[in-house]
DNA sequence: CTGAAAGCGCTAACAC
DNA sequence: GTGTTAGCGCTTTCAG
């Protein structure tokens, strides 16, 4: 910049002003422009950040990007942030607590503008209250804004859709250990509505899908359960707490020659498409991913700009049912 | 840091030394540690970057994250970079040239350590030669290292797998306009091997899947083509230049009541799984995504460390065939 | 081993 | 409008 100033016969301040769009005399403006061009000058963001103590980085902490839901979410979050002039530091935690913490530490060192986090641990409680943060899905501290799908409603919708399709007996497939708020809400909604509609239900514990052995055990248990129920009750529906689990269940039932959706119907949760224009394979309660990203980034931006007085808002985004190949058409 | 120095009764230099792991007297070390703790000091990365003119950021430019291939790739790239101590700035370009350029501009301003790019434009020619960069899939400048799958081989393998399954007539579904090197290689490999094995083939132009109308036209054309071929020749195989296209083709044929893989077999390209532990729906030539990420990050790191003298290496990662549901079992 | 001081490149007063 | 200058928080000589 000093070089540019010298080359253009002006002071550094003038160059700085020009770059930052302040008023400069047209002749000077032209001269500076040329000098910048000539010397291939690009301003040093680190120096600017140091001086202004402002940053345009946002850290996005999430368990993975390798799933339809998270990749779509990442897509939208990046898009919105980019449109608002932020840069996104992708921080994949794999639900690893120490990784999560290292990302927070990094965020502090970088003096980032803010953090968007999806964490099922108590990560938020390690974030200093002075750094803008918005959580997606879960925030138990109550100190930060939260954007989440209406999980309870999603559970209810699933039960209702089953009911419309003649289901009289249902299985809820979810995690019982590691219970955390969004999952609990999905279950409660489902159960409550089952009770309302007179659907008989039972609950099956799903182990983490990473653990192949346990997961196979679960699938076996499930298909036994399905065979039992088929004899005892009428039409059967399985509500899985995620599409990933729903897909695995469908694959298992296919193997067992149990016809989906004729004999058993399945509804998953998330409803993200693998590509922007693809059909859903499993029927699902779709989270409005774009809306979640939109709200989260918007709220973060406001927080950064200081217009919002950390009210720790709770935003609930509506979900809806999406017909896939695992429920009968009505 | 000044505060810490004062609190610990030492100079800033000592604090700096302590933080950077230089030798400090044990008593002093302890004192400094405590002061840091007490004052909740975290060092300012911007100031450090300014002084040392070193950065730990890597910009990752790619068309999207919202597809199995790119989300898996992003997952691995982030993982490897993180393990090497870098931070990843996610830069989704949507193949938009001006966005790509703005990311490069940003990278320059941030004085990032390096860039990893997947671009089908001439992006690389806009990157100053002094900034470390490695390309994935395509680099026409010849100035930067390139990591790519063996696309030609992939095409050949597809033809061979068809041949093993009795296919005597084939369609290649790929983009003819916008031809760029990886796609050309896939096609050539396929065609060459078809010739070798005496498979009759024809070529069909696939429009960008974003354009729904044109794409539907293509699908109709394809299914006509399939019906014609079925009468004329023996077993038919369709090789699509990507899994996304392959999936759409499969859906279309399902609609038309054409049985896959009994009547027509389909092989796609990429072979990425939607989730880490899921089955493939379409049979596919799988790119070794993890290996690509591994090589790309490794080469970038070397370049940054200056151990490598910009030899513009070309690395070719092997591909392999993955049986899905759209080819017959053998 | 530790302290004093220079300076990385920029912005923001402030004076002209 | 423009120039001068202080200083953001750190690392890094260079003395001691």
């Amino acid at each position: 910049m000093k070089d540019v100033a010298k080359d253009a016969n002006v002071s550094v301040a003038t160059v700085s002003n020009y770059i930052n769009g302040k008023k400069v005399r047209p002749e000077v403006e032209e001269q500076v422009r040329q000098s910048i061009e000539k010397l291939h000058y690009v301003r040093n963001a680190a120096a600017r950040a140091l001086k202004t103590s402002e940053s345009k980085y946002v850290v996005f902490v999430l368990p993975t990007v390798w799933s339809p839901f998270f990749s779509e979410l990442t897509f939208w979050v990046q898009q919105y942030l980019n449109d608002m002039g932020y840069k996104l530091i992708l921080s994949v935690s794999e639900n690893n607590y120490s990784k999560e913490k290292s990302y927070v530490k990094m965020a502090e060192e970088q003096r980032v503008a803010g953090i968007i986090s999806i964490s099922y641990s108590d990560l938020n409680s390690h974030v200093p209250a002075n750094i803008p943060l918005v959580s997606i899905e879960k925030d138990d501290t109550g100190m930060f804004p939260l954007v989440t799908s209406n999980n309870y409603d999603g559970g209810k919708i699933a039960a209702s859709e089953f009911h419309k399709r003649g289901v009289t007996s249902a299985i809820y497939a979810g995690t019982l250990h590691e219970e955390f708020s969004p999952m609990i809400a999905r279950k409660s909604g489902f159960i409550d509505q089952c009770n309302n509609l007179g659907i008989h239900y039972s609950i099956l514990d799903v182990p983490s899908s990473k653990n192949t052995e346990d997961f196979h055990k679960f699938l076996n248990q499930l298909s036994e359960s399905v065979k039992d129920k088929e004899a005892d009750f009428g039409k059967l529906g399985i509500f899985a707490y995620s599409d990933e689990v729903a897909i695995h269940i469908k694959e298992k039932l296919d193997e067992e020659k149990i016809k989906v959706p004729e004999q058993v119907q399945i509804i998953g949760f998330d409803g993200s498409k693998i590509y922007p224009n693809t059909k859903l394979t499993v029927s699902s309660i779709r989270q409005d991913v774009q809306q979640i990203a939109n709200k989260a980034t918007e709220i973060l931006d406001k927080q950064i700009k200081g217009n919002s007085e950390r009210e720790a808002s709770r935003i609930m985004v509506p979900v809806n049912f999406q017909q896939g190949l695992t429920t009968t058409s009505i």
Side-chain angles (χ1 to χ4, degrees), chain A:
Chain A
M1 179 147 148
K2 227 174 16 186
D3 301 335
V4 174
K6 195 174 294 171
D7 187 84
N9 280 313
V10 293
S11 75
V12 287
T14 305
V15 178
S16 176
N17 282 337
Y18 166 76
I19 289 173
N20 295 303
K22 305 254 171 74
K23 282 251 156 277
V24 195
R25 261 208 338 278
E27 351 155 8
V28 175
E29 175 168 331
E30 179 55 19
Q31 181 54 55
V32 173
R33 218 185 41 65
Q34 283 182 20
S35 298
I36 287 177
E37 184 87 5
K38 190 169 88 182
L39 303 174
H40 298 107
Y41 168 79
V42 269
R43 90 144 144 344
N44 184 323
R48 182 179 215 281
L50 174 59
K51 180 64 190 180
T52 62
S53 52
E54 265 180 19
S55 154
K56 281 299 190 180
Y57 286 112
V58 170
V59 170
F60 185 36
V61 182
L62 77 178
T64 185
V65 282
W66 190 359
S67 88
F69 176 73
F70 287 117
S71 73
E72 184 183 351
L73 182 62
T74 304
F75 176 84
W76 290 116
V77 168
Q78 198 276 343
Q79 176 144 115
Y80 284 115
L81 286 180
N82 190 57
D83 289 348
M84 301 190 301
Y86 296 106
K87 291 164 261 303
L88 162 356
I89 304 178
L90 186 69
S91 305
V92 176
S93 70
E94 302 184 276
N95 283 322
N96 177 327
Y97 192 44
S98 67
K99 272 198 185 181
E100 289 185 341
K101 283 201 294 191
S102 81
Y103 289 132
V104 171
K105 176 86 183 302
M106 180 266 281
E108 293 187 67
E109 289 193 352
Q110 304 294 334
R111 306 289 193 270
V112 298
I115 299 177
I116 298 178
S117 79
I118 308 176
S119 161
Y120 304 125
S121 73
D122 65 338
L123 176 65
N124 289 2
S125 62
H126 291 281
V127 177
N130 63 350
I131 145 160
L133 178 149
V134 22
S135 268
I136 293 178
E137 281 242 291
K138 166 171 173 289
D139 165 56
D140 291 341
T141 69
M143 289 163 52
F144 299 100
L146 171 69
V147 178
T148 178
S149 284
N150 193 332
N151 289 292
Y152 181 80
D153 210 37
K156 284 184 67 172
I157 292 173
S160 300
E161 294 294 333
F162 275 152
H163 187 247
K164 283 189 206 164
R165 287 167 177 77
V167 168
T168 50
S169 173
I171 296 174
Y172 173 81
T175 42
L176 299 186
H177 55 101
E178 291 193 82
E179 296 246 10
F180 54 94
S181 31
M183 300 312 173
I184 295 173
R186 288 174 199 179
K187 185 168 74 176
S188 316
F190 186 69
I191 291 174
D192 288 356
Q193 191 70 342
C194 278
N195 286 330
N196 292 342
L197 299 170
I199 299 175
H200 179 267
Y201 66 85
S202 61
I203 289 170
L204 224 52
D205 182 34
V206 179
S208 156
S209 65
K210 302 280 168 63
N211 186 325
T212 332
E213 200 184 324
D214 280 3
F215 195 71
H216 280 339
K217 238 182 258 168
F218 153 76
L219 287 176
N220 288 329
Q221 193 189 345
L222 178 78
S223 63
E224 287 314 309
S225 209
V226 167
K227 288 168 192 165
D228 289 358
K229 298 257 180 180
E230 275 222 303
D232 292 0
F233 308 101
K235 286 186 111 178
L236 180 63
I238 301 174
F239 177 44
Y241 82 103
S242 79
D243 284 347
E244 184 175 9
V245 171
I247 287 174
H248 280 115
I249 291 175
K250 170 153 189 341
E251 285 173 354
K252 177 66 176 180
L253 296 184
D254 284 350
E255 269 174 31
E256 302 279 332
K257 309 286 180 216
I258 298 171
K259 288 250 187 316
V260 178
E262 292 80 0
Q263 291 173 267
V264 178
Q265 303 186 50
I266 306 173
I267 295 179
F269 206 102
D270 284 348
S272 286
K273 297 169 207 142
I274 31 176
Y275 302 95
N277 301 307
T278 321
K279 289 178 190 159
L280 264 100
T281 50
V282 294
S283 297
S284 187
I285 304 301
R286 170 156 174 84
Q287 302 200 52
D288 190 341
V289 184
Q290 182 174 1
Q291 191 61 223
I292 292 173
N294 185 17
K295 290 294 177 200
T297 50
E298 203 173 69
I299 293 171
L300 185 72
D301 186 45
K302 272 194 194 137
Q303 226 182 118
I304 292 169
K305 302 264 171 65
N307 300 340
S308 131
E309 28 210 281
R310 171 62 57 70
E311 58 211 28
S313 57
R314 315 272 103 171
I315 292 209
M316 201 85 116
V317 178
V319 297
N320 66 292
F321 175 75
Q322 297 268 310
Q323 172 78 307
L325 304 173
T326 59
T327 45
T328 56
S329 47
I330 42 173

